[in-house]
Amino acid sequence: IGGSDLGPRLVVEALSADGTLRRVAEDEFVRSVGPAVGIAGYAVVPDEELADRDQVRARVQASGVDGAVVFRLATVETQERWVPPTMYGNAWGYWGFAAPMVMEPGYMTTDRTAVVETNVYNVADARLVWAARSETLNPRNAQALIDDVVRVVVAKLRDEKLLPPAP
């Protein structure tokens, strides 16, 4: 791919104990880069073989891909924070009879930050070519997290000429 350490074909592996999430994430990456560039890892390595490093290596090398993109949910961090009260209206609403009235009381909320690690390897020599750690604040659900991470990672890989430009 345009002067990079990778060739034109990549396998994507989303490491997850949940086979459905694995497929959703790998399919989203392939959809984003196109089937001429990406191949879903589940088409190369079945779920039951993911824990066997030698089997994964043999299957990925036999598939003829040049690079491997590996996604892994590293952690989900939680943090509580105080959201102060707010009062609506104009600047003069703070004085007089309305001063003690708060339209929306303050409250505690818990933020969740999903941390995903992404590594890109050259399959021929197993060398790490690119790595990233992304943080997504309060993802709505797993699909939203997958969409956000894949969108950002694909854009960065394109910026760094590790993926061809979008068609």
Side-chain angles (χ1 to χ4, degrees), residues 41-162:
Y42 65 81
V44 176
V45 181
D47 290 343
E48 59 274 7
E49 292 180 7
L50 275 178
D52 184 338
R53 177 182 21 195
D54 294 331
Q55 195 65 22
V56 171
R57 180 186 308 122
R59 286 191 177 270
V60 169
Q61 289 173 338
S63 72
V65 296
D66 305 291
V69 178
V70 182
F71 289 100
R72 179 180 82 87
L73 178 64
T75 188
V76 176
E77 301 166 351
T78 59
Q79 181 177 3
E80 286 190 4
R81 69 180 166 93
W82 171 251
V83 177
T86 56
M87 187 162 136
Y88 302 99
N90 63 38
W92 307 118
Y94 290 101
W95 289 273
F97 77 95
M101 294 180 9
V102 174
M103 302 306 278
E104 185 175 304
Y107 58 93
M108 292 296 293
T109 189
T110 301
D111 287 327
R112 289 184 2 211
T113 303
V115 180
V116 176
E117 293 177 349
T118 306
N119 292 330
V120 179
Y121 298 92
N122 180 308
V123 170
D125 59 10
R127 186 171 37 88
L128 180 65
V129 174
W130 187 85
R133 183 176 165 99
S134 60
E135 297 180 358
T136 303
L137 181 64
N138 295 324
R140 290 184 316 279
N141 53 40
Q143 182 67 55
L145 173 63
I146 290 166
D147 292 349
D148 288 346
V149 171
V150 167
R151 179 180 43 78
V152 169
V153 166
V154 167
K156 286 288 193 184
L157 291 172
R158 285 192 170 125
D159 286 349
E160 297 186 28
K161 309 288 190 252
L162 292 171

